[in-house]
Amino acid sequence: AREVAEGAGGREARPSAWAAALDLSEGLPADGRLRGLFAGGTLAQEAHAILAALLPDLRTNFSGPLSDSDLGGHAVLDLGADEYTVRRPHPMMDPSSQGERIEAAAEAGGVSILLIDVVLGYGSHRDPAGVLAPAAERAIRRASSKGRGLAIVASVCGTAGDPQNREDQESRLRDAGVFVERDNARAAAIAGFAA
């Protein structure tokens, strides 16, 4: 209701999370799996809290590492956890590990929805979309070449005043075929409904 009221004041009204998920899920397999690939642990936990109600078999690495063989179902991964940052920078500073996982998902049979976060600000990578958008574009193209649909949902945490400029980052992700939401909770709900 607030969004509709604010829409009258100049802000665009958005479709419900359910309606957005229906659009997103077109062309995706009904038995596809969701994979959350988060640079930020706080955003990963927020997404998990929402997704756990929608996807009862959801796995995480919050209490310990998960091997790739443990990722058979739906999963949310905090890529900033110790097991992923040994001898590599945290993904907020270097999103290449997140980009690699995005591309690997295109190779993994059964993954049809990726949920990612992009964290802006001082201390974060100077251009995370410059790394993640090409990875997303390649992943979507690769999945398509294998006859599978792949949807990528992202939330961008930041502002226009951040050095990376939120609007610029969002635009580059959209141009790569990523479905971009303004907040992590709504992105998680849309991805969960679509899974």
Side-chain angles (χ1 to χ4, degrees):
R2 188 187 92 195
E3 289 177 8
V4 171
E6 288 175 352
R11 185 174 167 194
E12 282 184 38
R14 298 181 291 180
S16 71
W18 179 250
L22 286 175
D23 287 344
L24 185 69
S25 64
E26 280 187 41
L28 298 181
D31 61 347
R33 295 189 305 265
L34 178 141
R35 184 82 73 248
L37 303 172
F38 286 83
T42 302
L43 295 175
Q45 290 190 15
E46 178 185 50
H48 175 263
I50 292 161
L51 291 168
L54 302 171
L55 307 170
D57 62 341
L58 186 65
R59 298 174 182 161
T60 72
N61 65 327
F62 299 161
S63 10
L66 290 175
S67 68
D68 286 342
S69 63
D70 292 330
L71 297 177
H74 304 295
V76 171
L77 301 176
D78 171 9
L79 299 178
D82 291 344
E83 66 265 26
Y84 295 114
T85 56
V86 174
R87 291 185 291 282
R88 350 181 36 142
H90 190 282
M92 285 171 54
M93 292 182 274
D94 178 5
S96 61
S97 64
Q98 197 177 16
E100 290 163 10
R101 290 251 172 199
I102 289 169
E103 291 192 64
E107 299 295 329
V111 175
S112 61
I113 299 177
L114 294 176
L115 177 61
I116 65 171
D117 64 339
V118 180
V119 182
L120 309 181
Y122 295 100
S124 290
H125 189 273
R126 62 181 166 74
D127 182 17
V131 175
L132 299 175
E137 195 168 20
R138 286 189 296 268
I140 292 166
R141 192 173 39 239
R142 180 71 177 144
S144 177
S145 75
K146 293 180 165 217
R148 295 191 296 110
L150 178 66
I152 303 176
V153 180
S155 65
V156 179
C157 180
T159 70
D162 282 314
Q164 302 88 347
N165 186 297
R166 180 180 185 153
E167 287 78 12
D168 178 56
Q169 296 289 302
E170 289 176 339
S171 175
R172 292 171 70 189
L173 290 165
R174 280 189 192 97
D175 289 347
V178 176
F179 183 90
V180 179
E181 268 301 322
R182 285 251 161 167
D183 65 77
N184 185 56
R186 183 171 157 90
I190 290 169
F193 287 143

